[in-house]
């Protein structure tokens, strides 16, 4: 039986590139590392000193320009997204006479719009340059962030939330898609983590910003503090749109960004080839989407993210609880920010361990086991105020979203269309349910104990924990099939010829001996 030759592992390759010359690949053994080199490899990329100087320079540029600009945009998106909750508990409820479940409906409108646009987002940027598209979206939601400062009724806020959601909806799936198109398996989780922590950082900053505005600007020029929050955030957001236009490099296959030389672009494409990251092409193969719907990846990854996403939603009710418990306006904004301050180091730790040791499964499983404690406390709803505040604050330490999406990029690496579809579908299904489920289980009239909501989320935590195990088992089976297709591990059943779908989408036959 013939055995296919494996492609050289990137950790054993040194790609030497000179500007204006063709690149050459030189096979080399692991480099000798002193104490400093070992330290850098330990805290950053494990293969940092196995890379050539040219490859390290390429990754450094991507970190400084692409990752930094996407992170700033994501930070601002989460500030703007969190403003509704901060404004609501800082005077907007009284100024706009918001009663009953009108506040919940504002959240529902936002989630419904994002649900509708998540899947089209990644297919749009396979046809339209991401730099153009993301820049236009950021400017768009910045304009409507301004507009919310002038709202005079809850009906106006409905319309403004619709428009903000329309422009913001594309950022989340496209950001993941772009990062997964440039970074390798041993780089991506940390980068997604660094990008993703800008979310809780933005949410935390929004709370402190609103507290500072309420203390210093409330009533200035006849405007309430919550209106000043929207004005200041709009001023911050619009310029970032222009920043994205100049710094987002599109995809390796079509990039013309100013800070990468042609040799570096060719190196980026070679990295993708070696790591089995399929190129993004202008022509969309819709047949791959059809195949994705029939595969285990769609029926397990997409529902799992829905259940997990709902399980970690308890923190959104923290400000409501604090208001009902009689906390001051300042504390209603500052204490919820502590949730996100805890989330930032835990996310960075999870993604570091995930990249360092390659344990996507365990890094998803262990935080969910820990998550049974805070979600369980809120489900029981004890008399102790301190215990409930503790459960809210540590709730964000359950988040493993960056590790999950790094795992998705590995699982779906054989097709960009499938990766685009799965990333969009996970967000779509989550926002689809998040658009209406909170109106049933987290009715504001049931607050602050939410006897339907917190027990439901505790059950979701248990199911998502079991779901991680299921993903692990199916992924192991997929890897065995791919190895068999590559001739690495023959699979024999009853002396019959077995056929598997291989890494290139072809079929490989393994003959029983």
């Amino acid at each position: 039986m013939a055995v296919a030759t494996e492609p050289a592992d990137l950790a054993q390759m040194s790609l030497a590139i000179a500007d204006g010359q063709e690149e050459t690949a030189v096979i080399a053994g692991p480099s000798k590392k002193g104490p400093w080199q070992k330290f850098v490899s330990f805290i950053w990329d494990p293969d940092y000193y196995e890379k050539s100087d040219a490859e390290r320079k390429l990754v450094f540029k991507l970190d400084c320009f692409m990752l930094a600009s996407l992170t700033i945009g994501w930070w601002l998106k989460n500030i703007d997204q969190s403003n509704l909750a901060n404004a609501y508990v800082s005077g907007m409820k009284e100024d706009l006479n918001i009663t009953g479940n009108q506040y919940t409906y504002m959240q529902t409108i936002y989630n419904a719009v994002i649900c509708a646009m998540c899947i089209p987002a990644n297919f749009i940027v396979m046809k339209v340059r991401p730099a153009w598209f993301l820049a236009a979206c950021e400017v768009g939601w910045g304009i409507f962030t301004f507009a919310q400062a002038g709202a005079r009724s809850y009906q106006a806020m409905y319309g403004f939330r619709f428009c903000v959601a329309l422009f913001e909806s594309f950022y989340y799936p496209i950001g993941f898609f772009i990062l997964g198109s440039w970074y390798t398996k041993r780089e991506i989780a940390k980068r997604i983590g660094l990008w993703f922590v800008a979310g809780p950082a933005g949410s935390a900053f929004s709370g402190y910003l609103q507290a500072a505005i309420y203390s210093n600007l409330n009533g200035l020029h006849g405007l309430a503090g919550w209106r000043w929050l929207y004005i200041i955030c709009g001023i911050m957001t619009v310029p970032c749109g222009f920043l994205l236009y100049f710094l987002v490099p599109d995809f390796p296959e079509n990039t013309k960004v100013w800070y990468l030389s042609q040799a570096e672009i060719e190196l980026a494409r070679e990295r993708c080839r070696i790591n089995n990251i399929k190129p993004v092409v202008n022509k969309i193969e819709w047949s791959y989407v059809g195949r994705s719907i029939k595969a285990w990846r769609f029926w397990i990854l997409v529902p799992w993210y829905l259940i997990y996403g709902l399980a970690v939603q308890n923190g959104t009710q923290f400000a409501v609880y604090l208001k009902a418990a009689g906390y001051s306006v300042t504390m209603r904004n500052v204490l919820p920010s502590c949730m996100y301050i805890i989330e930032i180091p835990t996310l960075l730790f999870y993604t570091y361990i995930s990249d360092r040791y390659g344990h996507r499964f365990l890094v998803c499983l262990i935080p969910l086991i820990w998550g049974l404690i805070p979600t369980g406390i809120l489900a029981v709803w004890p008399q102790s105020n301190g215990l409930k505040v503790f459960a809210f604050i540590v709730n964000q330490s359950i988040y493993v979203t960056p590790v999950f999406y790094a795992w998705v990029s590995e699982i779906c690496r054989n097709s960009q269309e499938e990766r685009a579809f799965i990333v969009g579908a996970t967000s779509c299904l989550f926002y689809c349910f998040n658009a209406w489920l909170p109106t049933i289980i987290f009715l504001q009239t049931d607050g602050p104990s939410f006897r339907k909501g917190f027990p439901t989320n505790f059950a979701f935590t248990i199911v998502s924990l079991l779901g991680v195990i299921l993903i692990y088992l199916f992924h192991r089976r997929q890897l065995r099939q791919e190895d068999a297709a590559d001739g690495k591990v023959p699979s024999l059943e009853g002396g019959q010829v077995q056929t598997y779908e291989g890494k290139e989408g072809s079929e490989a036959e393994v003959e029983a001996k």
Side-chain angles (χ1 to χ4, degrees), residues 149-422:
R152 298 298 174 185
S153 66
Y154 70 88
Q155 294 95 332
M157 285 298 296
Y158 287 165
F160 292 144
R161 293 302 292 173
F162 175 91
C163 294
V164 168
L166 179 63
F167 287 105
E168 286 188 354
S169 62
F170 301 104
Y171 204 93
Y172 187 74
I174 291 174
F176 278 123
F177 192 44
I178 292 174
L179 293 174
S181 299
W182 286 91
Y183 290 116
T184 67
K185 177 180 178 179
R186 304 187 81 182
E187 299 165 351
I188 189 169
K190 280 193 301 296
R191 269 71 178 193
I192 291 178
L194 288 169
W195 174 64
F196 197 82
V197 295
S203 299
F205 182 79
S206 180
Y208 290 116
L209 182 62
Q210 177 59 56
I213 289 172
Y214 190 86
S215 300
N216 298 286
L217 297 181
N218 189 40
L220 183 67
H221 300 301
L223 296 178
W226 67 268
R227 296 186 188 275
W228 277 110
L229 176 65
Y230 284 120
I231 292 171
I232 291 172
C233 288
I235 293 172
M236 295 165 60
T237 300
V238 172
C240 184
F242 298 99
L243 184 71
L244 291 173
Y245 172 73
F246 289 105
L247 298 183
V248 173
D250 302 324
F251 299 110
E253 294 72 33
N254 66 350
T255 184
K256 296 180 181 179
V257 72
W258 59 272
Y259 55 82
L260 294 181
S261 68
Q262 186 59 39
E264 288 171 328
I265 293 171
E266 293 300 326
L267 174 56
R269 293 169 183 170
E270 178 69 5
R271 278 161 45 91
C272 292
R273 185 192 67 79
I274 292 172
N275 286 275
N276 293 313
I277 301 172
K278 293 296 181 280
V280 177
V281 294
N282 188 261
K283 181 182 178 182
I284 299 173
E285 295 289 345
W286 294 108
S287 61
Y288 284 103
V289 177
R291 293 179 197 174
S292 299
I293 295 175
K294 299 176 185 178
W296 74 267
R297 294 174 288 276
F298 176 79
W299 293 104
I300 295 180
L301 295 177
V302 175
W304 182 87
Y305 187 76
L306 162 67
I307 296 168
Y308 154 78
L310 294 172
V312 298
Q313 291 294 299
N314 286 342
T316 58
Q317 308 303 326
F318 194 15
V320 176
Y321 169 73
L322 294 174
K323 184 171 184 177
Y327 284 79
S328 67
V329 171
T330 298
M331 293 304 294
R332 289 179 224 162
N333 285 285
V334 170
L335 279 179
S337 298
C338 296
M339 295 189 303
Y340 306 112
I341 291 174
I342 290 175
E343 181 181 356
I344 291 170
T346 56
L347 272 179
L348 292 176
F349 177 72
Y350 297 155
T351 55
Y352 167 77
I353 293 296
S354 175
D355 269 357
R356 178 72 187 173
Y357 300 105
H359 296 318
R360 313 291 193 214
F361 163 61
L362 290 177
V363 177
C364 287
L365 180 69
I366 294 172
L368 289 171
I369 294 174
W370 150 251
L372 295 174
I373 296 175
T375 56
I377 290 173
L378 294 176
V380 173
W381 199 253
Q383 292 294 321
S384 170
N385 172 69
L387 201 57
K388 286 180 283 192
V389 170
F390 164 80
F392 276 120
I393 287 179
V394 302
N395 180 79
Q396 304 299 105
S397 63
I398 308 172
Y399 274 77
V400 292
T401 304
V403 179
F404 170 72
Y405 276 110
W407 202 3
V408 169
S409 291
E410 294 172 20
I411 293 171
C412 302
R413 70 185 186 276
N414 294 324
S415 167
Q416 291 288 22
E417 287 88 351
E418 182 181 42
R419 186 161 65 89
F421 176 66
I422 294 295

